[in-house]
Amino acid sequence: MQSNKISLKQFIQYFKIAVTGKEQSFTSGSIRRAVFMLSIPMILEMLMESIFALVDILYVSQVSVNAVATIGLTESVITLVYAVAIGLSMAATAIVARRVGEKDLKGASNAAVQVIFLGVFVAAIISVIGILYPKEILGLMGGEPDLIAEGYGYTQVLLGGNITIMLLFLINAIFRGAGDASVAMWTLILSNGLNIILDPMFIFGFGPIPAFGVEGAAIATTIGRGTAVIFQLAILFFGYSKIKVGVKDLVLRVGVMFNLIKVSLGGIGQFLIGTSSWVFLMRIMSEFGSEVLAGYTIAIRVMMFTLMPAWGMSNAAATLVGQNLGAQEPGRAELSVWKTGKYSAIFMGMVSVIYLVFAPQIIVLFNSTPDVVKYGSLCLRVIAAGYIFYGYGMVVINAFNGAGDTKTPTYINFVCFWLLQLPFAYIMAITLDFGPAGVFWAITLAEILIAVVAIIWFKKGHWKTVKV
């Protein structure tokens, strides 16, 4: 009994150290401890993001089925913004982690500044398109006229204010690469805490604030994220992180910029392949009407709640790989990935059991329309069937990215998403008339294949020789 008490006390002690960010060294000592110290704040960070996603859809589902479907269509487009942000953030994490492992904090700071410059430039272009053409974007995605009329404001605000999404991703990636995972966590807690408070105010109205409906969700999200970005910049400039930026550092460094672009191109391509396939899947789903689309959207949001902790663990693996390669410890980097992958697979396996048993009860919490519940729960069950593979594969794929080898996952994604998932989804759902189930099975089979191929390729070890 005594040993159990000690282990619990130790767990609480480690947990406190992890969330306060006092642990700074991840290139020596216990790998299990290093995985724990990085994973806990990253899991909490991602859990906060997914809690907001659930709360957001809970509020919006009280507006109308069209409002929920609007979010589904808009988010499938905004995932293209995420693709660029995540691609750049992969490069940021890989380069910053490598420099920190090499004890070159000045080089890490220089990379951080160039990442922010790139993010602002890309976001400005997307903002112009989003502000000018929100109705056309929803129309291209297969939105019906009444859906477009009700929901285009949401699309306009979210895409118009995408700089908040971009910078939130990128600066948190800088913190993660430096091993300051707790700073990234507190940033997300601030952002999403504000979102949860502001969401009902702007959707349903509060005092002098009018009821904006589904558009209010986008306004609340943009304000919450914008506030968090200001908080991030304050930390970078006033030196509460390992990475410190001064006014004198705000200059364009062509060499650093090109290195960053070179590493990020693979990451951007990797996620553009994944997210554009998501856009096409959403387009196929729109053929079956707003209720099926709403069920699919709710199911995806629910799944994000449990995917985010696994994503947090995969981010921890990326940082450990980058820092250990920088410290000339490739064996430790590899062992970190296998351990993290095992923890992620165990977690995802437990979650899949819950989804398989309680899918209808979960969906009905958000919407009780029969078709919404039917297709939402079918989606949960089919995709949960591949969750163990998803958990392991996510860690291994992100380990490549942490090493700066963003090309390998790009090739894997291209084959599994574009050459397999999309044709299979279309043939099963439309040609062979299996309906939405065809799309759900295509997602599951593609994720299983990605995990298997990634593990085989990772064992070859080419990622250990990549220079960034």
Side-chain angles (χ1 to χ4, degrees):
M1 286 297 290
Q2 185 65 23
S3 65
N4 284 340
K5 284 182 181 175
I6 290 169
S7 66
L8 179 63
K9 190 186 288 185
Q10 224 172 19
F11 176 85
I12 293 167
Q13 182 190 356
Y14 283 179
F15 187 88
K16 283 180 181 173
I17 295 169
V19 297
T20 53
K22 289 177 182 171
E23 183 83 7
Q24 294 292 317
S25 176
F26 304 108
T27 55
S28 59
S30 163
I31 290 177
R32 183 180 291 183
R33 178 187 167 106
V35 171
F36 183 88
M37 290 298 170
L38 275 172
S39 290
I40 288 297
M42 288 181 184
I43 288 169
L44 291 174
E45 175 192 347
M46 296 302 173
L47 261 180
M48 194 65 204
E49 182 74 18
S50 51
I51 285 170
F52 167 67
L54 283 183
V55 172
D56 191 41
I57 208 79
L58 198 61
Y59 287 134
V60 170
S61 63
Q62 295 173 42
V63 178
S64 68
V65 169
N66 267 348
V68 177
T70 297
I71 287 185
L73 292 180
T74 303
E75 288 205 340
S76 64
V77 174
I78 215 153
T79 48
L80 298 175
V81 179
Y82 290 150
V84 179
I86 292 171
L88 286 170
S89 70
M90 277 177 198
T93 297
I95 292 172
V96 169
R98 191 72 69 97
R99 298 294 167 267
V100 169
E102 294 164 351
K103 306 278 191 283
D104 178 13
L105 294 184
K106 182 66 180 170
S109 297
N110 288 343
V113 171
Q114 304 313 304
V115 166
I116 293 169
F117 282 165
L118 261 178
V120 170
F121 175 72
V122 173
I125 297 168
I126 295 165
S127 286
V128 172
I129 297 167
I131 290 167
L132 295 179
Y133 304 109
K135 292 179 180 177
E136 289 81 358
I137 290 168
L138 286 176
L140 276 175
M141 288 302 299
E144 293 160 6
D146 59 331
L147 181 148
I148 295 170
E150 184 180 343
Y152 80 90
Y154 177 89
T155 308
Q156 192 171 45
V157 172
L158 213 58
L159 284 173
N162 83 90
I163 190 168
T164 60
I165 300 170
M166 189 72 75
L167 291 184
L168 198 60
F169 261 104
L170 295 184
I171 301 175
N172 267 0
I174 292 163
F175 291 145
R176 287 191 209 103
D180 291 321
S182 65
V183 178
M185 176 195 74
W186 289 111
T187 300
L188 259 284
I189 287 173
L190 170 65
S191 165
N192 294 325
L194 271 174
N195 283 345
I196 290 167
I197 294 165
L198 295 175
D199 236 12
M201 293 182 180
F202 283 93
I203 293 171
F204 307 113
F206 182 80
I209 301 169
F212 286 97
V214 67
E215 185 181 345
I219 295 169
T221 299
T222 303
I223 293 171
R225 284 175 173 152
T227 307
V229 168
I230 293 167
F231 174 71
Q232 286 176 319
L233 291 171
I235 290 170
L236 276 179
F237 279 93
F238 294 105
Y240 304 116
S241 163
K242 195 179 289 182
I243 305 295
K244 295 175 176 62
V245 174
V247 176
K248 66 180 186 301
D249 297 317
L250 299 179
V251 293
L252 195 66
R253 299 177 197 274
V254 178
V256 179
M257 178 74 80
F258 274 116
N259 187 35
L260 187 67
I261 291 170
K262 185 181 75 176
V263 177
S264 69
L265 281 177
I268 293 169
Q270 180 186 141
F271 269 80
L272 275 176
I273 289 165
T275 53
S276 59
S277 74
W278 206 252
V279 171
F280 285 118
L281 291 179
M282 189 62 83
R283 183 67 185 83
I284 295 169
M285 291 299 293
S286 71
E287 294 293 315
F288 304 107
S290 287
E291 289 183 348
V292 173
L293 200 57
Y296 177 63
T297 301
I298 290 169
I300 295 299
R301 281 292 182 102
V302 169
M303 282 187 287
M304 290 302 285
F305 183 74
T306 43
L307 284 177
M308 286 298 182
W311 186 250
M313 281 187 259
S314 77
N315 281 336
T319 298
L320 285 168
V321 166
Q323 289 199 8
N324 281 293
L325 286 179
Q328 306 298 311
E329 293 280 356
R332 182 181 169 86
E334 183 171 0
L335 195 54
S336 301
V337 174
W338 297 132
K339 280 186 182 278
T340 312
K342 183 179 77 173
Y343 303 146
S344 180
I346 291 168
F347 169 75
M348 295 294 269
M350 292 189 293
V351 171
S352 66
V353 173
I354 296 169
Y355 285 169
L356 290 167
V357 176
F358 299 109
Q361 291 88 337
I362 293 168
I363 299 297
V364 84
L365 291 172
F366 298 89
N367 194 294
S368 57
T369 308
D371 270 356
V372 173
V373 176
K374 177 184 173 183
Y375 289 103
S377 41
L378 179 65
C379 180
L380 267 187
R381 282 174 167 155
V382 171
I383 296 179
Y387 250 29
I388 290 174
F389 290 92
Y390 205 169
Y392 216 117
M394 199 184 294
V395 169
V396 178
I397 286 286
N398 226 12
F400 284 116
N401 294 323
D405 178 11
T406 52
K407 288 180 182 175
T408 298
T410 305
Y411 300 143
I412 294 172
N413 278 5
F414 177 76
V415 172
C416 297
F417 285 139
W418 279 9
L419 301 188
L420 173 81
Q421 187 189 68
L422 290 180
F424 186 83
Y426 186 84
I427 291 165
M428 291 293 286
I430 307 294
T431 311
L432 299 179
D433 208 22
F434 278 90
V439 175
F440 306 152
W441 278 113
I443 294 169
T444 302
L445 292 173
E447 295 300 345
I448 290 172
L449 188 63
I450 284 171
V452 172
V453 174
I455 289 166
I456 292 168
W457 207 258
F458 189 78
K459 283 183 173 179
K460 291 180 183 291
H462 302 308
W463 55 273
K464 294 176 186 175
T465 61
V466 174
K467 305 290 180 200
V468 295

